[in-house]
Amino acid sequence: MKLRTVGRLGVILSIILFCIGIGVYSFTQLSLVDKGKDIHLAAFVPRNCMGVLETDNFDYFMNEFPQTAYAGQLDTLQRAGLLKSVLGGLSRYTDSPAHDWSNQVNRMMISFHEPGSSRNLVIYFQMNNSQEAFVKSVLQRTGHSFEARKEKYRGEDIWVYPVDNGDFVSAYMEDGLLALSYQKRLIEQVIDASKDQTSLDTDESFKAIYSPKSSNFMTLYTHSASVPLLDKPESTQVWSEFDIHLNSEVLYLSGFMYEPDSCFQSSLLRLEQVKPSYESESMLIVSGQSRIDSCVSQIASISYHSLFDECISNLSRDASYMMVADMDKVATQIDKYAPYLPLFIKDHIYLFRSFILSVQITKVGNKLSHIFVFTYKE
C-alpha cells in the first residue's frame, strides 16, 4: 500500500485538530447573517486534492472547543502554517477585527494537496459580494515596505502579499470567493479547476458522498477509505465523510464511505478477515456482527465497568468491525497496531495518550458507515 495513500486521513486529521486548537481571533465571528452571492465552493477545488474540510460557522466550534476537558491536550499541536499566518495575521491590519470580519464570510472550505503538509492547502471563503473591496484593502494593508504585487494567470489576477513570518501568500478573488494559499501553483490550479471544469463539482465520486449541511457544521471529506485497512491503491474513486462533533469529554468523527459497487464486497471481505485481538483494558479488535454482539453484550452484563469497558458497552452491537484502544498502552506497541491507526495518530501518539479511541464500521445498505470516538481519560 502506498504511504501517501495510507497517510491521507492522518494528515487531514492533523489539520482538523490544528484548526480546532489554534484559537484564531480574527475569524471567531464568522456568521451567516447575509448570504451574499450563493456560490458553490467545491466548483473551485481541484479534483486531485487529498480532501476538503468545510464549515459554515467556525465560531461555533471555536466557542465549544475551549470548554472541553481535553482542550489543553490537543492544543499542544504545533501552531504554525497558513491558518495562523493569514487568519491570525490579517486581524492586526484591520481597525476593528471583530467588527470588520463579522458577517464578511459565509462559508469556509480548506482543500489539502500532495505532499500532505500545512503548507500545501488552499483556504476558500464564500464572501458577501459587496465586501470584496474590503477584503482587497485588508490584503494590501500588511504593514510591510513590500507592496502586494499582481500577477496574471489565464486572464485572472493573483495577488501575492507578505505575512509576518517572512513568507508570502497568494490570493485569488472573484464574485463571492476568496482563495488563499502559500503556494501560487495551487491558486493557479484553483483557476484551472474553475475554467476547465475539473473541480470536485464535476467528480461523480465526490458528489456521491457530499451532502450539504444546514447550520453549525464542520465536515471533512477525505479522498481515501475511512480506515487504512480498507484502502485500495488501485481505486481512486473512494471518498469518506466525517462529521465533527464535540462535547465536554468526547470528540466524534462520523459519516459514510463511498466506493464503487464493484469494490463494496471486497471491503466487506477485508473487514471479515481482520484477526481478533484482545489485551485487557487496552485493546480490543473484533469483526463480524455476531461476534461484536456477543462481545458488547458480555461487557455490558458486568456489574462494574472501567472506562475502557464503558467505551465498549456504549458501542453498537450491529457493527461489522470494532476497535477500542487505550492509546497510552498502544503507544508502547505502536508498530504492532500501526495497520489499524491513521498515520497521524501513529506518528503523534503522544498527543493521544490521554484518550481511548473507539472505532466502528457498520454495513448500511451498500455503504459502510463509520464513527471515531476519542474519549478523554483524565
Side-chain angles (χ1 to χ4, degrees), residues 20-38:
I20 296 174
I22 57 176
V24 177
Y25 176 71
S26 62
F27 275 84
T28 59
Q29 298 298 323
L30 301 186
S31 74
L32 293 173
V33 173
D34 182 2
K35 292 288 186 179
K37 186 173 180 179
D38 186 18

Side-chain angles (χ1 to χ4, degrees), residues 156-168:
E156 303 291 342
D157 294 334
I158 298 178
W159 292 88
V160 181
Y161 71 100
V163 288
D164 280 353
N165 63 0
D167 217 322
F168 297 88

